[in-house]
Amino acid sequence: MTDTDVLDELLDLEGRGWDALCASSGADFYGALMTDDALMVLANGMVLDRAAVVDSLRHAPPWRTYEIQDPRLVHVGPDAAALVYVAVAYREGTTPAFRGVMSSVYLRTPDGWRLTCYQQTRFPEE
């Protein structure tokens, strides 16, 4: 599998995750995608395990739209890779509700890629 193939697969997963967040089905999507011991480190300083992520996404307001910009692939090991990118996400209106750098670490399993660690850093307000 080439770097381009891996990047395309991980970008597809990230896009499907964002699509689920827009459709208010993020809890189900991330509940299935995350490994049992996965963590999400959020821009507000919270660190959530898989169960807390699923619970919080059940009550999260949906995103209206999003953009994934400047994606980069980082090799972590023979069966792991990180996707780093800039996300711009909108809830209402034309001003982004969130703009920051995301990094998602995936583990390749016999069932496909699984999210094991996710981290977001919000850009300072301009």
Side-chain angles (χ1 to χ4, degrees):
M1 182 170 277
T2 69
D3 285 358
T4 301
D5 294 334
V6 173
L7 180 61
D8 289 346
E9 286 184 5
L10 297 185
L11 278 170
D12 178 65
L13 276 174
E14 290 291 313
R16 288 193 290 149
W18 277 103
D19 290 344
L21 295 172
C22 290
S24 296
S25 58
D28 294 332
F29 181 83
Y30 284 100
L33 181 66
M34 295 174 74
T35 61
D36 291 341
D37 61 348
L39 294 175
M40 283 194 175
V41 181
L42 305 181
N44 64 6
M46 293 179 65
V47 178
L48 304 177
D49 63 14
R50 183 176 169 268
V53 167
V54 169
D55 184 57
S56 70
L57 290 177
R58 291 202 192 288
H59 311 312
W63 294 98
R64 180 176 55 83
T65 190
Y66 65 92
E67 300 167 30
I68 294 175
Q69 303 171 347
D70 194 25
R72 300 175 193 188
L73 181 68
V74 179
H75 293 280
V76 180
D79 292 317
L83 179 65
V84 179
Y85 62 95
V86 172
V88 182
Y90 301 81
R91 292 211 192 269
E92 298 298 328
T94 58
T95 303
F98 183 89
R99 189 167 176 270
V101 177
M102 312 296 204
S103 56
S104 298
V105 179
Y106 286 94
L107 178 64
R108 188 183 350 240
T109 72
D111 297 324
W113 291 104
R114 300 282 308 276
L115 182 65
T116 189
C117 189
Y118 168 85
Q119 185 270 329
Q120 56 183 217
T121 303
R122 183 183 293 269
F123 287 142
E125 299 296 322
E126 298 176 6

